[in-house]
Amino acid sequence: MITLKSEKQLEGIRASAKILAGLHNQLTLYVKEGLTTGQIDAFCYNYITDNNAVPAFLGYMDYPATACISVNEEVIHGIPGKRVLKEGDIVSIDLGVNLNGYFSDAAQTLIIGSADPEIEKLVSVTKECLAAGIQAAGTGKRISDISRAVFSIADKNGYGVVREYCGHGVGLALHEEPQISNYVSSGSNPRIRPGMVLAIEPMINLGTKNILHMPDGWTVITADRKPSAHWEHSIAVHKDHIEVLTAF
Ligand code: MF3
Ligand code: CO
């Protein structure tokens, strides 16, 4: 079932998303060469709890950290730890905030210093995929219009679009219906209505679309070990516009 949010619920989700946007904004300044992913995770935990909110991923299906931090060939769900960031790395930081039971979810991919131009392009095109997906999420359109918008930009650039993971409804829980794949698939294809809150999240690979799971039970990597980028926003659909709740 897809829940349409009331104005009161939207206010709660908006407040949650504001904290998350503030954290992502701080991360753009904080994340630097020489930091470990564990240090970044601690920064995120402190920011969220200082704002009287709860890290939504921590403990979710026994996930052991605040952030998912995925470096280079890691696609998503990288567990923060001792890995030290170095010049030329790309690092995807995915975070969820639970404020009084209202959930928001957003990710960005940061470049440490400067990276290979081909990799920098992957990061910016993935961000473009997200923007196109958001643009396609207007009232009256269908979920597949989001999928098509994301996929066409990635595909045009020759990138691999991850099939096994997708975007989702969000707001009263971390993951709600509908699923929002980043490619057009058959199956249910709901119409987009005012009151929907959606997390759109392209996961785009420089090479093959295929992925592998690491023995830690969480980390997803590209099958060819080439880099991958991930951007995500939580949005609210209104009658005549789209509100990017986690914009920063
Ligand atoms: N990052 C995922 C999403 O955007 C959720 C992470 S699940 C967790 O939907 F268990 F890793 F937290
Ligand atoms: Co998400």
Side-chain angles (χ1 to χ4, degrees):
M1 197 193 59
I2 301 177
T3 60
L4 300 179
K5 277 69 179 179
S6 67
E7 195 44 56
K8 183 176 174 292
Q9 289 170 331
L10 265 180
E11 267 169 41
I13 301 165
R14 205 175 272 132
S16 167
K18 245 199 178 64
I19 294 169
L20 181 48
L23 172 51
H24 270 296
N25 194 43
Q26 288 296 305
L27 285 169
T28 65
L29 307 167
Y30 171 73
V31 173
K32 290 233 158 46
E33 179 178 15
L35 284 175
T36 66
T37 54
Q39 286 173 308
I40 297 170
D41 191 67
F43 181 89
C44 295
Y45 178 86
N46 290 334
Y47 188 98
I48 292 169
T49 55
D50 284 351
N51 282 277
N52 305 310
V54 174
F57 296 172
L58 185 61
Y60 179 85
M61 290 169 66
D62 292 327
Y63 185 71
T66 293
C68 295
I69 305 184
S70 308
V71 182
N72 298 342
E73 76 287 352
E74 296 172 351
V75 180
I76 49 168
H77 299 170
I79 302 174
K82 293 192 168 73
R83 185 167 181 164
V84 179
L85 297 179
K86 60 178 198 313
E87 169 87 17
D89 283 344
I90 60 169
V91 53
S92 305
I93 305 177
D94 189 359
L95 288 155
V97 165
N98 169 3
L99 179 69
N100 307 319
Y102 296 111
F103 290 80
S104 55
D105 186 0
Q108 64 176 324
T109 299
L110 291 164
I111 298 164
I112 306 304
S114 61
D116 189 294
E118 165 177 77
I119 298 172
E120 296 215 353
K121 184 181 159 203
L122 170 72
V123 173
S124 64
V125 171
T126 304
K127 193 176 182 181
E128 258 179 65
C129 288
L130 172 58
I134 292 169
Q135 280 308 308
T139 292
K141 301 258 200 66
R142 287 185 182 272
I143 293 297
S144 66
D145 293 310
I146 300 173
S147 309
R148 187 175 302 101
V150 168
F151 183 85
S152 69
I153 293 180
D155 190 58
K156 194 174 69 193
N157 283 278
Y159 297 148
V161 177
V162 174
R163 302 296 203 270
E164 292 84 349
Y165 294 89
C166 58
H168 49 92
V170 67
L172 307 181
L174 178 59
H175 292 134
E176 300 180 24
E177 286 180 42
Q179 293 197 3
I180 308 171
S181 68
N182 294 307
Y183 67 101
V184 180
S185 56
S186 56
S188 90
N189 183 17
R191 200 177 284 283
I192 297 170
R193 299 180 190 283
M196 284 188 182
V197 177
L198 305 172
I200 301 175
E201 48 179 319
M203 289 151 268
I204 308 295
N205 300 345
L206 184 62
T208 180
K209 66 180 189 304
N210 296 330
I211 56 157
L212 297 169
H213 293 91
M214 296 296 280
D216 65 15
W218 281 103
T219 311
V220 176
I221 65 166
T222 55
D224 59 8
R225 281 23 174 216
K226 290 188 181 175
S228 181
H230 181 207
W231 285 87
E232 175 178 24
H233 274 308
S234 298
I235 68 165
V237 178
H238 297 283
K239 201 161 63 111
D240 51 9
H241 73 286
I242 296 154
E243 178 182 5
V244 182
L245 297 163
T246 49
F248 59 91

